[in-house]
Amino acid sequence: MRRRQRFGLVASLVFFGLVTSCKTDSGGGDPDPGPSVEFKPTPYAWKKPANFPDPVYNFSKNTLTQEGVALGKALFYDGLLSRDGTISCAFCHQPSAAFAHTDHPVSHGIGDRIGTRNVPGIQNVAWGSAFFWDGGINDLDLLPISPIQNPVEMGDSLKNVLNKVRNNGQYRALFKAAYGTEEVTTERFLKALSQFMLTMVSGTSKYDKYARQEGGTQLTESEQRGLTLFRQNCASCHQGELFTDGSFRNNGLAMRLVNSSDYDLGRYLITLNLDDYNKFRVPSLRNVERTPPYMHDGRFQTLEQVLNHYVNGVTDSPQLDPLLKKSGSAGLPLTRQQQQDLIAFLRTLTDYEFLSDRRFQPE
Amino acid sequence: MKKTLFFLFQAATLAFSVTSCKQDDPATPEIGSVVLRFDHVVGSRDLVLNDSTYTNGGGESFRVTTLNYFVSNIRLKRPDGSEFVVPQDKSYFLVKESDANSQKITLDEIPAGEYSAVSFLIGVDSLRSTMDIGRRTGALDPGGAASGMYWDWNSGYIFLKLEGTSPLAPIGANGQRSFFYHVGLFGGYKSKTLNNLRTIQVPFGSSRATVSAGPAAAVTIKGDVLKIFDGVKALRIATNPDIMVSPLSADLANNYAGMFRFDKIQAN
């Protein structure tokens, strides 16, 4: 903000304060006294890793507090959020897998129902501007409604879950500690879950330490070659320190048959735009070594299979991302050694401190 | 440009704060209430959920099990063309055929005078649809009143929901032959999507809704379900038993945009 503007803003605020102060004579009283004066939650010191850009999430509308995060964590680990009490958020989002799930190609939910997509991890969501493989959600605060109400995930309704939370004695103290009163509202419930998810920051991998030049961290020769190859071949989509540009792209996965259960049009389902046919959100590659399976439908089990796809398996289509056709034919020309170097680099994105962080473990 | 807007904003803030002092003025303008009553019919017959069988323009017989829609951004128009815009935060209502109370919308603090028309949106405008969840309470609470009228997987409200049964619909998982018409989409967060918001104008003809400190004027608006099938474009249950997130939803929205008409004004 330029100085003149700042002066203007301050001046207008002062005027506003002066002028509105005449209202205090009305004697109407404050209709909403709000929480009592003793309500003082403990601020949560949320830190942006030095090599990261500014977060996207608007923290000013949901100030992180120790108590808010603790409430969010209690909810995250509570099966109460599902219809029959068996499925918590953590059922699919496990801390040791960067809050993804490694056992099934696609999500596995209530009553052993099987979903259609690979469970996405939860990490660095403060920098996310679109969530889910198709970007159907743009606001982190709205995200939990979807798994709660998905009939093959938690199978309940938000309304019913809120009633269950209201009737559960355990939560009265937690809501009071976080918000000053015991009242359970949609906003409080969702923002507490956001608070916990926002603390899931992965920024202490070997790569991060190398990028920040901490403790003289060096990459091995293979990792260094992999980083160079990565920048040449992958970083236009898996961009920057988040290792995603958040866009939706078609990376040439062979389409499954129409009418099969895994036929998935991706971003098209949200936009109804034919250009978005079979496009999916570019995932971050942080902790990628620990988050198999890969792709929206979990079709690959290993990083070697993923690299093999980009070298030998890219299917051409009108929607195929042009960056995968640079050499004239579909796919990336990488030798076996280059693929191994790339995988060596990708392993430097594994953040052991994040994966074993005690703050994320169930109480 | 940005700077100009910024100073305009400051000027507006200042102007607003100065005028707010006028509340002590004894000559407060007279205010009153207006009631909007939504009465649903199917052609010439009253809409009765579940039990009555109707026939659309294609000869398809059907029953209605659900009719819900959002009414928002209400404006009352004066004969001189000026209008009173109901304050945004008080301008969102969910009308449900299953809930008689919801079919009566009471608008308070309306400046006294004569009104000759009303306009409203069917649905929830894009600004409110993308607002912080804390600003979406009451009728718009997805964990409360708006439960079932919200798409959680493609964040946004279902503007209008018409569900029913028909021998022309395929058998569903529950063994019933049901049709589902759910219209939403406000234009998209970042990528453009369909914008199925429709503004409805309901002129009162030669009638006037008089607002005064006395009893509220009640404006009855008829909503004809047949128009949803037979409006701008004929939609048939046999060919389209499910219309939700598809280009056809725009046709459905065009159809229901024509389902409302002025009926009468009475004292409430």
Side-chain angles (χ1 to χ4, degrees), chain B residues 62-243:
Chain B
F62 66 92
R63 292 176 180 216
V64 177
T65 53
T66 305
L67 174 66
N68 299 339
Y69 53 87
F70 281 103
V71 169
S72 72
N73 291 272
I74 302 170
R75 291 160 177 256
L76 288 163
K77 315 221 170 193
R78 301 184 185 90
D80 67 4
S82 67
E83 59 184 17
F84 174 74
V85 181
V86 176
Q88 254 272 325
D89 282 340
K90 295 178 181 175
S91 208
Y92 293 89
F93 301 90
L94 177 56
V95 176
K96 297 165 107 170
E97 177 61 18
S98 60
D99 175 7
N101 287 330
S102 75
Q103 296 157 31
K104 192 176 130 178
I105 292 175
T106 304
L107 305 171
D108 292 322
E109 297 181 21
I110 307 297
E114 301 241 294
Y115 294 89
S116 55
V118 62
S119 76
F120 50 86
L121 276 186
I122 293 295
V124 180
D125 55 282
S126 60
L127 196 63
R128 186 67 61 161
S129 290
T130 54
M131 241 178 225
D132 185 280
I133 187 66
R135 301 285 305 278
R136 296 197 258 143
T137 51
L140 298 180
D141 182 354
S147 188
M149 290 297 282
Y150 180 80
W151 279 324
D152 50 62
W153 56 276
N154 182 9
S155 303
Y157 293 93
I158 297 172
F159 301 162
L160 179 139
K161 183 187 260 194
L162 174 70
E163 293 178 357
T165 57
S166 169
L168 282 308
I171 295 181
N174 61 358
Q176 289 214 309
R177 293 182 178 275
S178 304
F179 66 93
F180 301 92
Y181 290 171
H182 298 179
V183 179
L185 301 178
F186 56 82
Y189 273 81
K190 292 190 196 89
S191 305
K192 200 168 167 248
T193 66
L194 284 175
N195 184 339
N196 285 330
L197 288 160
R198 295 290 182 274
T199 303
I200 316 297
Q201 309 278 354
V202 182
F204 306 156
S206 56
S207 302
R208 297 288 177 263
T210 306
V211 174
S212 66
V219 179
T220 302
I221 295 167
K222 293 257 193 213
D224 184 353
V225 173
L226 271 192
K227 291 283 200 309
I228 302 178
F229 297 102
D230 295 287
V232 183
K233 178 174 178 169
L235 294 169
R236 295 292 166 247
I237 296 167
T239 33
N240 297 106
D242 297 324
I243 300 178

Side-chain angles (χ1 to χ4, degrees), chain A residues 5 8-9 15-16 19 22 61 129 136-138 142 146 149 158-159 162 186-187 191 267 269-270 272, chain B residues 3 6 10 13-14 17-18 21 132 134 136 141 143-144 147 150 152-155 189-191 193 245-246:
Chain A
Q5 286 178 329
L9 179 62
F15 272 123
F16 184 80
V19 176
C22 67
K61 65 172 189 172
S129 56
I137 309 235
N138 291 260
L142 302 176
S146 191
Q149 300 197 149
L158 177 61
K159 191 175 181 177
L162 291 176
T186 298
E187 179 185 12
K191 286 188 174 175
R267 181 72 176 154
L269 297 171
I270 302 301
L272 303 177
Chain B
K3 206 183 278 181
F6 190 76
Q10 289 176 34
T13 310
L14 188 55
S17 18
V18 172
C21 264
D132 185 280
R136 296 197 258 143
D141 182 354
S147 188
Y150 180 80
D152 50 62
W153 56 276
N154 182 9
S155 303
Y189 273 81
K190 292 190 196 89
S191 305
T193 66
V245 180
S246 75

Side-chain angles (χ1 to χ4, degrees), chain A residues 12 16 41 56-57 110 136 187 191 214 327 341 352:
Chain A
S12 89
F16 184 80
V56 171
Y57 188 83
I110 196 162
E187 179 185 12
K191 286 188 174 175
E214 278 171 19
S327 63
D341 290 340
Y352 296 100

Side-chain angles (χ1 to χ4, degrees), chain A residues 268 271-278 319:
Chain A
Y268 171 84
T271 64
L272 303 177
N273 178 346
L274 280 177
D275 291 341
D276 289 335
Y277 215 68
N278 210 26
Q319 287 81 16

Side-chain angles (χ1 to χ4, degrees), chain A residues 173-189:
Chain A
L174 291 174
F175 271 80
K176 186 160 189 185
Y179 294 114
T181 68
E182 293 175 358
E183 194 191 358
V184 177
T185 64
T186 298
E187 179 185 12
R188 287 178 168 190
F189 172 87

